[in-house]
Amino acid sequence: MQQAYQGDAQVRELIDTAKKLEGLVRNAGVHAAGVVISPRPLIELVPLHKTKNDEIVTAFDMVAIEKMGLLKMDFLGLTTLTILDDTLKLIVQTRGEGITLEGIPLEDQETYEKVFHTGLTSGVFQFESHGMRDVLRRYQPKSVEDLTALNALYRPGPIQGGMIDDFIDRKHGRRKIEYELPELKEILEETLGVIVYQEQVMQIANKLAGYSLGEADLLRRAMGKKKPEEMAQQRERFVRGATERGFPPKKIEKIFDLMAQFAGYGFNKSHSAAYALLAYHTAFLKTHYPVEFMAALLTSVTGSTDDVVKYINECREMGIPVEPPDINVSDANFTPHGAAIRFGLAAVKNVGGNAIQSIVAARKELSQFSTVFEFCEKVDLRLLNKRVLESLIKSGAMDALGRRAQLMGVLDKAIERAQKTQRDEESGQHGLFGVFHQEESHHQNDKLPEIPDWDEHTRLANEKEILGFFITGHPLEKYREKLQDFQALSTTEISGMKSSTGKDASITTAGIITNVRVLKSKRGEFYAQGMLEDMAGSIDMLVFPEAYRKVQEKVKLEVPVLIRGGVRIEEGANPKLTVNDIVPLEDAKVPLPRSLRIRIPLESASESTVDALHTLCSARKGEAKVLFDVERQGDFMVVMEAGDYNVQPDRNFIARVEELCGRGAVRIID
């Protein structure tokens, strides 16, 4: 490199320029929540700068601001606070109960057992990630203090340092809890002898070495920054202070080293406790007021289709139906409707706030809309153009007025008639008798055309286009059993995987391929990127050049497909599905056994068992041979081969036989 620098003028210029640039500020950034507080107008103290969004920010960075003696505070705005507030308002509306967050009991065991012990933490602040769910299931928290500790520990440093595993082992008695000095028990007892919080470092310094709390804060900062000269001074001060109080120097040095080791992992307890309390509040409301909580949660993610899909699936798992949007019932937001949640009109594509206000105002006047013609006449068509009305029909929001194909067939006529009626009303152009004549002819013309409704594929495709997902069904629904036979993983299960699988086709999954882009690599080879969506959510998908040459015709299929491939996990990114093969689910053949044995225990079997087996085998005829092992345990077993009893031994067949003859009654031979 030195030779190149000395012998090539261009290289010299490049390196000289790089040396000047190194260490300079590359670009200006704005702290998301930092607010500078000053005793005088800021223009007298620091240079200010306007961002492209017209935010006023300081032209000095946060370190310089602190050195000048100005106060810098972080004010976090959390969506969770809005969700909690909306949930409390919905509880008042639906149940008439006026509860407050302050009044929520912190020892509610049902909340801990139902949400935290099982890891069912979708929508629970700070505890949603796959890794955190795993930690919760292993730890089994029973108090807000437990949640506070887990919140503080679930960060890269403590995870990589093995602190979480150590913490869980101590909790369940697999590892002994020890204290270097009895005086540490009071400070470290709540965290099982582990230094978890920065405040604990300060308390130890205060109790053992006589630090004032101000001095202890300086020690905490020195440990966090790990500056050797500062640490050497603090070590001397700590050992001296503790020795003067009669503590053994060797123990004290060991404690200081422990503090220094854990200070790098240490977390601010007050911050963690505030977050843990919010998490507990969300979990409590999810446990005791699930419909109101999930409605508020869905409203908060209205702009994100992926999150809406995720939480609607969570609702289904919780047994809460999410009803399609309905112009006669829905408000702008998701709202409780008995034991169900009614879809909010604001989540329907192309339907804006003014259009929703017009629909709600007209509905209040009429109580409900009975025909599409009446709907068009009563709403303000300057706010609801044809595109908005088509979106409402496609989403199912106007199903109460007729079938979707019929409504689409008369839409132009309804708009035209409504526009004329609205113009006439504005100009006052209708006579006394004209009104009755007009109403009579309108009723005769309000009939919808007798045309066939959209098929399932069209209906679901339109729902997907307008809502971002399928609400009245799912194209994968009819393949549910087939997917179980293939042992297909859901997108959620793939997203939770921790390590790559390599290039081999080692996993099977299924769904609908969307957002496909065909790109060219640096070598000039074609490859594809896209998304795979199933009933649980979606995942990024990659088709490398070698596989793309094989499946390029199938990548753009709009039908449910079965995919064999691998999983690729890169640091700092979500797992991606790497595709090796694509087969339409309709054509995918489940590899079934060719022969099996069914054990019939004479102690528990009866004539009705044999009759039921006969009926089942007759109904599920297939290719596989069947042998019956008739046995009385400890006495004898007779193997019977019955003619004409070939069956289709899929998962359903095996499950039904095990219901009749007991678990493990089916043994696959080939």
Side-chain angles (χ1 to χ4, degrees), residues 364-432:
K364 278 181 183 164
E365 187 189 322
L366 282 173
S367 83
Q368 72 168 36
F369 304 105
S370 53
T371 70
V372 65
F373 297 96
E374 182 182 53
F375 178 80
C376 290
E377 282 170 21
K378 294 300 177 185
V379 298
D380 188 341
L381 287 178
R382 290 167 300 188
L383 302 173
L384 278 82
N385 58 24
K386 185 180 177 184
R387 188 172 172 222
V388 174
L389 293 166
E390 282 177 346
S391 294
L392 289 169
I393 293 169
K394 286 178 178 179
S395 71
M398 296 176 77
D399 283 1
L401 311 181
R403 295 199 302 272
R404 295 179 198 184
Q406 293 177 310
L407 296 173
M408 207 62 101
V410 297
L411 190 57
D412 285 335
K413 181 180 169 187
I415 291 171
E416 195 181 318
R417 197 172 95 181
Q419 284 172 335
K420 183 178 184 308
T421 304
Q422 288 176 6
R423 280 197 304 272
D424 288 351
E425 280 178 4
E426 278 175 23
S427 58
Q429 283 184 12
H430 46 71
L432 180 62

Side-chain angles (χ1 to χ4, degrees), residues 76-288:
L76 296 179
L78 298 173
T79 312
T80 304
L81 294 170
T82 305
I83 294 168
L84 291 171
D85 190 54
D86 287 350
T87 305
L88 298 182
K89 285 173 182 166
L90 288 172
I91 292 167
V92 172
Q93 282 174 32
T94 57
R95 308 191 189 209
E97 294 178 33
I99 66 168
T100 63
L101 295 180
E102 297 75 27
I104 289 174
L106 298 181
E107 301 80 29
D108 183 64
Q109 282 312 301
E110 194 181 346
T111 299
Y112 291 108
E113 286 165 16
K114 272 193 174 177
V115 176
F116 294 113
H117 291 187
T118 55
L120 296 176
T121 50
S122 281
V124 174
F125 182 61
Q126 294 281 305
F127 285 85
E128 282 195 81
S129 73
H130 289 285
M132 182 56 105
R133 289 176 196 227
D134 178 52
V135 169
L136 288 169
R137 283 190 283 261
R138 286 162 56 207
Y139 186 82
Q140 302 280 293
K142 291 185 170 63
S143 65
V144 173
E145 285 77 13
D146 285 346
L147 298 178
T148 305
L150 293 179
N151 212 349
L153 284 168
Y154 194 75
R155 289 171 301 113
I159 291 169
Q160 285 156 16
M163 280 177 68
I164 290 186
D165 293 334
D166 179 27
F167 197 67
I168 292 170
D169 285 346
R170 288 173 185 237
K171 154 87 172 175
H172 296 298
R174 294 190 289 267
R175 185 168 292 194
K176 198 175 174 190
I177 299 170
E178 294 175 309
Y179 304 97
E180 290 295 328
L181 289 170
E183 286 78 7
L184 293 180
K185 186 175 180 181
E186 187 188 341
I187 298 167
L188 300 180
E189 192 168 22
E190 68 164 314
T191 53
L192 311 174
V194 180
I195 301 171
V196 172
Y197 307 119
Q198 293 172 346
E199 286 89 338
Q200 288 173 321
V201 169
M202 294 167 66
Q203 283 175 290
I204 292 168
N206 171 253
K207 188 154 192 170
L208 298 188
Y211 276 64
S212 70
L213 290 179
E215 286 177 313
D217 193 44
L218 294 174
L219 169 68
R220 175 193 65 79
R221 290 180 69 174
M223 285 183 164
K225 290 176 181 171
K226 293 182 178 164
K227 290 186 178 173
E229 61 279 5
E230 273 188 55
M231 287 293 283
Q233 287 172 8
Q234 291 289 355
R235 186 189 190 90
E236 190 190 324
R237 158 79 180 88
F238 185 84
V239 174
R240 188 179 68 247
T243 311
E244 284 169 7
R245 280 167 178 69
F247 293 110
K250 282 202 168 175
K251 282 259 183 192
I252 288 300
E253 284 182 16
K254 190 178 177 185
I255 289 168
F256 187 88
D257 290 339
L258 265 177
M259 285 163 62
Q261 180 195 334
F262 283 110
Y265 299 146
F267 196 69
N268 184 283
K269 184 183 179 182
S270 50
H271 181 103
S272 192
Y275 274 18
L277 184 64
L278 273 183
Y280 177 79
H281 284 157
T282 54
F284 180 89
L285 293 174
K286 184 179 180 180
T287 302
H288 296 281

Side-chain angles (χ1 to χ4, degrees), residues 41 44 65 73 109 232 249 361 403 492 581 593:
E44 296 175 20
I65 290 290
M73 300 287 277
Q109 282 312 301
R403 295 199 302 272
T492 309
D581 192 25

